[in-house]
Amino acid sequence: MSRRLARVVLPPLVALGLFVGLAYLVSYVFLSPSRRFLLPPPHDVVAHSFFRGANLHEQLNATWDTAKVSIAGIVIAFVIGATIAIVMSQAKWIERALYPYAVIVQVTPILAIVPLIALWFGYNFTARVVVCVLISIFPIITNTLFGLLRVDPNLHDLFTLHRASRFERLVKLQLPHAIPDIFVGLRIAAGLSVIGAIVGEFFFRQGTPGLGRLLDQYRAFLETDLLMGALFWACFLGIVSFAAVGFVGRRLTRNWYEEGR
Amino acid sequence: MTAGEVIAFRSAGKVFPDGTEAVRDISFELRAGEFLSIVGPSGCGKSTLLRMASGLGPATSGEVARKVENIGSVFQDATLLPWRTVRQNVELLAELEGAAPTERARLATEAIRLVGLDGFESHHPKALSGGMRMRTSVARALTMKPPLFLLDEPFGALDEITRGTLNEELMRLFVSERFAAIFITHSIAEAVYLSSRVLVLSPRPGRIVAEIEIPFAYPRSPELRFDPEFARLSSEVSHALRETYA
Ligand SMILES: Nc1ncnc2c1ncn2[C@@H]1O[C@H](COP(=O)(O)OP(=O)(O)OP(=O)(O)O)[C@@H](O)[C@H]1O
Ligand SMILES: [Mg+2]
């Protein structure tokens, strides 16, 4: 067990060591002192971002704000996305009718819809949540739909033989069957929603500041050490969301789900 | 229609919308207490024939007259709901048919006992062996006490020993519950051991090329397999099956 842990944990730690070493090398050897702000030595990043009360406070508040936006985004994307998938699963023609629009939402650059979102939802929390929803809904729709439609035809036959209603079929057969797939979609969506929350803030800048605005502000003042600190929190948030959704998914299905069936 | 008749095929045939003719001109009758096995080359339309019997895939020519509504279906895979426990799986059909919870529980308990799964009620299918999954599937079908059982190669995916055990159990259930059964199998020994009659189908489109009565009285014991008459009937089925390829 501990050897397996070592196999999993050690290589990324070694890589981290190399990255840090490389950062020092660039910072102290290749950059002249006047240009050192471009890549501050790692201990400055840690000291200034995490060990100065005011900065840490600012960054944690921003992280929490971004977390709220992305959680709201993923929850709404889940509710709407799963509903759309359920509707699509009810008839092939509905699926054909709606699918192209789901794809359009997916491929349209957020930047292109920004003015419309601004007009409809303003420049606040709501607008940022809308960005998260738009950016993360597609994998939820497709994975949920996949799970709903991939049920063993023999099980459908069994339900037909025993006169199950459409609703019973959905609730007792298709939805439970789709749970593992829904979580696959949610895991992808969780990461995307964090990205959406940060990106959205570059356009919608009212209300309490999140990581996006903080990043932009640090850039404006050339505070690269703090910029890197904020970047760390952005990564942290993404990883935590991804892991949390994965954890809940495994929790819900570990009694019965067999991978690869 | 004769007394005790459960289902009758009369020149029934099936052509799929894409033009594939699966079975042609199938005629037979099945009465209560009869165990009919169907053997035939793979792809000859055996599953299609069962779907005609259950009404899931109606005949496109001729007629399939079924006297009973209530059918027990067992498929090659156990087709359990993996998120449900054994007991919840066994209760499914009664639940879909709208039985009250206490009635459901009673039916399930009885069926679980019949297939010898007591003690495994709260296991999920994941934790069961292939044979136990199949037993759960049979128990599920038993809860509705169907007068007609349709079994599509139910034991095909199991190892020889488990298969033998389940044959004994199916035999025991057949004797005690007195249902009529249509049983599809690739195993000639299984067909002869279990059946009162064996139908041999030709390659697609499947037609009946032989109908062989198996006159041994029920209940049959496993030793029957070493009876010379058993060997003779088996070779008769085998012969008919080989003829179909000629
Ligand atoms: N829905 C369908 N549309 C068109 N052709 C079909 C359909 N279902 C089955 N067939 C074809 O009908 C033929 C009979 O299929 P069926 O599954 O009944 O055979 P089978 O005897 O059960 O085969 P196996 O031994 O492999 O279980 C096959 O050639 C199959 O490809
Ligand atoms: Mg088949």
Side-chain angles (χ1 to χ4, degrees):
Chain A
M1 191 63 214
S2 73
R3 282 194 51 192
R4 254 189 59 192
L5 199 69
R7 269 218 307 269
V8 174
V9 175
L10 222 49
L13 278 184
V14 171
L16 179 69
L18 287 177
F19 289 139
V20 171
L22 192 66
Y24 275 114
L25 187 72
V26 173
S27 193
Y28 282 127
V29 179
F30 294 121
L31 293 176
S32 60
S34 61
R35 299 178 67 224
R36 192 155 293 151
F37 74 91
L38 286 175
L39 185 61
H43 63 264
D44 274 355
V45 173
V46 173
H48 299 165
S49 294
F50 307 148
F51 288 96
R52 278 197 196 146
N55 291 344
L56 181 64
H57 192 72
E58 185 178 54
Q59 295 190 359
L60 285 180
N61 275 340
T63 307
W64 174 232
D65 184 79
T66 301
K68 278 190 290 192
V69 173
S70 68
I71 291 169
I74 190 109
V75 169
I76 296 172
F78 169 65
V79 172
I80 299 177
T83 308
I84 291 175
I86 288 169
V87 170
M88 279 166 122
S89 74
Q90 293 305 301
K92 204 76 206 165
W93 70 265
I94 304 180
E95 186 188 338
R96 280 200 214 100
L98 295 184
Y99 201 83
Y101 300 100
V103 173
I104 288 173
V105 169
Q106 164 74 2
V107 298
T108 308
I110 281 294
L111 196 60
I113 334 179
V114 161
L116 204 56
I117 298 175
L119 272 176
W120 287 350
F121 302 101
Y123 290 88
N124 221 314
F125 184 84
T126 318
R128 279 180 260 154
V129 171
V130 171
V131 171
C132 293
V133 173
L134 287 176
I135 213 169
S136 63
I137 199 168
F138 190 72
I140 295 179
I141 295 176
T142 48
N143 283 284
T144 306
L145 187 62
F146 179 76
L148 292 173
L149 295 182
R150 212 192 35 167
V151 175
D152 179 355
N154 283 330
L155 276 171
H156 272 301
D157 284 350
L158 192 71
F159 273 62
T160 307
L161 276 176
H162 293 276
R163 293 170 284 273
S165 65
R166 206 172 254 271
F167 181 72
E168 269 180 315
R169 203 182 284 271
L170 179 67
V171 170
K172 294 187 174 162
L173 182 57
Q174 293 177 287
L175 275 176
H177 180 268
I179 290 174
D181 300 297
I182 291 175
F183 273 93
V184 170
L186 272 178
R187 226 162 51 193
I188 301 167
L192 290 174
S193 189
V194 172
I195 295 173
I198 293 170
V199 169
E201 245 197 313
F202 280 80
F203 313 123
F204 307 113
R205 313 176 67 98
Q206 285 173 6
T208 49
L211 282 173
R213 198 137 34 112
L214 213 53
L215 285 163
D216 198 39
Q217 184 185 311
Y218 291 150
R219 176 200 55 80
F221 291 100
L222 299 181
E223 292 168 316
T224 323
D225 44 355
L226 299 184
L227 183 63
M228 299 241 168
L231 203 53
F232 167 83
W233 291 115
C235 297
F236 175 80
L237 196 56
I239 291 169
V240 167
S241 319
F242 189 82
V245 172
F247 177 77
V248 174
R250 274 192 303 280
R251 242 338 209 303
L252 282 178
T253 60
R254 68 172 167 192
N255 279 336
W256 58 267
Y257 184 56
E258 291 176 270
E259 208 84 40
R261 253 175 64 93
Chain B
M1 207 157 250
T2 30
E5 187 180 285
V6 174
I7 191 167
F9 278 59
R10 298 200 187 88
S11 308
K14 173 97 184 173
V15 181
F16 285 108
D18 67 358
T20 309
E21 186 181 12
V23 295
R24 180 191 292 178
D25 193 26
I26 302 288
S27 297
F28 66 86
E29 284 181 10
L30 188 70
R31 296 144 168 281
E34 272 192 303
F35 199 111
L36 179 75
S37 280
I38 296 178
V39 296
S42 76
C44 73
K46 302 181 294 295
S47 298
T48 304
L49 202 146
L50 272 201
R51 290 176 62 82
M52 290 158 75
S54 66
L56 284 168
T60 49
S61 61
E63 184 195 17
V64 176
R66 187 157 41 85
K67 291 289 271 298
V68 296
E69 263 298 301
N70 187 0
I71 306 168
S73 268
V74 182
F75 307 92
Q76 171 158 11
D77 290 319
T79 59
L80 303 175
L81 302 177
W83 52 90
R84 288 186 172 219
T85 61
V86 165
R87 167 170 285 281
Q88 291 166 338
N89 264 294
V90 174
E91 285 190 6
L92 176 72
L93 304 187
E95 191 181 319
L96 292 178
E97 299 283 356
T102 50
E103 174 68 357
R104 250 188 253 163
R106 193 184 61 74
L107 291 170
T109 306
E110 193 183 334
I112 287 171
R113 194 175 38 72
L114 274 174
V115 300
L117 273 178
D118 328 59
F120 293 94
E121 286 93 337
S122 54
H123 285 53
H124 283 88
K126 183 184 178 177
L128 300 180
S129 68
M132 284 157 91
R133 290 182 191 192
M134 202 36 93
R135 283 201 180 95
T136 310
S137 189
V138 171
R140 179 178 65 190
L142 281 170
T143 51
M144 301 311 292
K145 304 190 187 309
L148 173 62
F149 255 83
L150 304 176
L151 306 107
D152 194 349
E153 293 186 55
F155 309 140
L158 303 177
D159 64 86
E160 201 53 40
I161 295 170
T162 312
R163 188 177 189 146
T165 320
L166 284 177
N167 279 344
E168 305 308 324
E169 291 186 7
L170 185 59
M171 166 76 65
R172 203 167 38 72
L173 288 171
F174 173 65
V175 171
S176 69
E177 309 296 309
R178 301 312 288 175
F179 45 76
I182 305 181
F183 183 87
I184 288 173
T185 177
H186 274 119
S187 158
I188 293 170
E190 191 172 69
V192 174
Y193 178 65
L194 291 171
S195 320
S196 48
R197 204 168 9 138
V198 178
L199 295 184
V200 180
L201 294 191
S202 71
R204 192 170 66 83
R207 284 142 295 160
I208 299 176
V209 291
E211 185 166 353
I212 296 150
E213 293 287 335
I214 313 292
F216 304 115
Y218 292 98
R220 299 171 179 176
S221 83
E223 286 72 47
L224 182 66
R225 290 199 172 88
F226 307 110
D227 191 302
E229 181 63 5
F230 188 93
R232 198 191 60 73
L233 288 163
S234 298
S235 80
E236 196 177 323
V237 174
S238 168
H239 201 75
L241 200 51
R242 243 172 307 131
E243 293 264 273
T244 69
Y245 288 99

